[in-house]
Each structure stands twice: as structure tokens, then as C-alpha cells.
Amino acid sequence: MACWYEGPLAAFDTEATGGDVENDRIVSAALVVQDGPGSRPRATRWLVNPGVPVPAGATLPHGLTDEHLQRDGRWPAPVMYEVAQALAEQARVGRPLVVMNAPFDLTLLDRELRRHRASSLARWFERTPLLVLDPWVLDRHLDRCRKGRRTLTDLCALYEVPWEAAHDAAAALEVARAVGRRFASRLERLSPGELHTLQAVWHAGQARGLQTWFARSGTEEMVDPAWPLRPDLSAAA
């Protein structure tokens, strides 16, 4: 049986009005499904009118302006339902989902579901859990001594994935396959379910290390150890 990185994978990515998962809004989302390495990926994309202004700083990386989103974007409520339904389908068929820095994209989607659908992401996976592969967590754990940044663009360069797609789910999917191949001796015996569980542990350790570094440098920034989804603040209060 082929290892997970040589089998079917899907990948999910969002663009947003900013980097605050509790208050910012999704302006676009993409789901890419690939049956195997080298096969033609199938992409589904959603464009969203967030109903709030898009700051110029947020427009710069993704190029989605207020005018464009108001003209061509759809209302959030039906889009969030469709996105959650599409991710649930990946879980139903057992296809692992690649999400670069999963706590951002998945938490952002969860908050949008709560905001517009009076629902949550967890409700969609009560029966069949989502199996997440996070290239950011994998790379940090497997090559922890390497210096430098680990953005998707950086990982594309390191793992020789065409960087033109660095803001696309397809790039994260290819990076995940490349990570799997480079560290095959440590990953090939792990199932996606086992790897999902391990990544939660690895991410928590990475978060504790970063929090300690922040404390020593006098930075008050907090690092959430939860992965792949941050708990709802109101529920945790």
C-alpha cells in the first residue's frame, strides 16, 4: 500500500481581511483534490463578499479589493456551508487534508460558521474526524535545527515546489508530499490518523518553546498550543 504522501490528498487554503481569526473575515477559499502524485488536481474556489471593508494591507498579498469582492463575491452564509460540506466530504472518504498553518485557516472557518450559520466546524466532524497534515508543523518538527523563516514561499523554495503557486492550496499539497519523501524513513510507517495525533503534540511543544522565547525577549505575545483548531474563546471563558 502506498504511503500517505504518494496517495490521494486534498488541500485547503483561505485568504482573509487580516490575521485575527476571532474578528477578521474570509474573502476567498480554495479546496484542491489530487488522486495521486502527477495526477491533475481538481480545484474548487469560493469568492466571498465579507460585508466589511478590506484593509489595503490585506489586499496587497491576495489582490482582492472591496470593489471586486462586492461585485463578484457571494454572501458568506451559503459559502461557509459549502466549504464545510466540502471538507466533510474529504473526511468521509478518508482523504487527508493539507492545511498550511492549520490553526489559522480552520479556526477562521470555524468562527465564520459560528458568525453566519450558528454552527461550528466541529459539528461537521462529529461522526468522521478530519485528518489534517500541516506542512508548517511537519517541517518544524522534522528539521527543527534549520535556521530561517518557514512561510509557504520559503518551504516551496526549500522543497523545490514552483513558488508561483505559493498562495495556493496546491502548493501546500505539493510541499506536504515533498516533506513526506524527504523524511520517508520517519513518516512512511505512520498513518494519516497517527500523524494527525502526533502533530497536535508536536505543535504544542513548538508553541511552548516559542512562548518561552517570547517571555525571555520581553514580548507579551501569546502563542496558542491548540492544533488544528483553536478553542472558541467564549466557550473557554
Side-chain angles (χ1 to χ4, degrees), residues 134-148:
D134 190 334
W136 189 64
V137 174
L138 292 172
D139 177 73
R140 289 181 71 197
H141 177 78
L142 296 164
D143 198 359
R144 64 183 68 186
C145 294
R146 192 180 78 250
K147 303 296 184 181

Side-chain angles (χ1 to χ4, degrees), residues 15-134:
E15 298 291 352
T17 59
D20 181 353
V21 295
E22 301 297 337
N23 298 296
D24 280 308
R25 311 296 176 88
I26 292 175
V27 296
S28 72
L31 176 67
V32 174
V33 177
Q34 189 181 42
D35 294 328
S39 65
R40 188 179 185 87
R42 305 183 298 278
T44 303
R45 303 181 187 279
W46 295 267
L47 191 65
V48 185
N49 179 350
V52 299
V54 181
T59 296
L60 187 61
H62 53 62
L64 299 173
T65 64
D66 277 327
E67 181 182 4
H68 177 51
L69 293 170
Q70 290 175 15
R71 183 183 66 244
D72 300 321
R74 297 168 57 202
W75 289 115
V79 172
M80 300 312 148
Y81 181 90
E82 291 174 14
V83 171
Q85 186 177 50
L87 298 190
E89 175 62 16
Q90 305 312 308
R92 188 188 68 80
V93 300
R95 187 179 292 119
L97 184 71
V98 176
V99 190
M100 176 73 180
N101 190 15
F104 178 81
D105 292 88
L106 295 183
T107 304
L108 187 64
L109 175 58
D110 175 76
R111 302 316 190 247
E112 289 281 55
L113 286 167
R114 294 173 185 272
R115 183 178 293 120
H116 297 291
R117 303 291 310 188
S119 182
S120 71
L121 194 59
R123 290 183 187 177
W124 286 89
F125 303 104
E126 289 175 339
R127 294 185 178 181
T128 307
L130 190 64
L131 302 177
V132 178
L133 300 170
D134 190 334

Side-chain angles (χ1 to χ4, degrees), residues 155-178:
L155 296 188
C156 283
L158 177 68
Y159 291 99
E160 299 181 348
V161 172
W163 66 269
E164 292 86 349
H167 289 290
D168 200 333
L173 189 152
E174 292 300 331
V175 168
R177 293 196 189 279

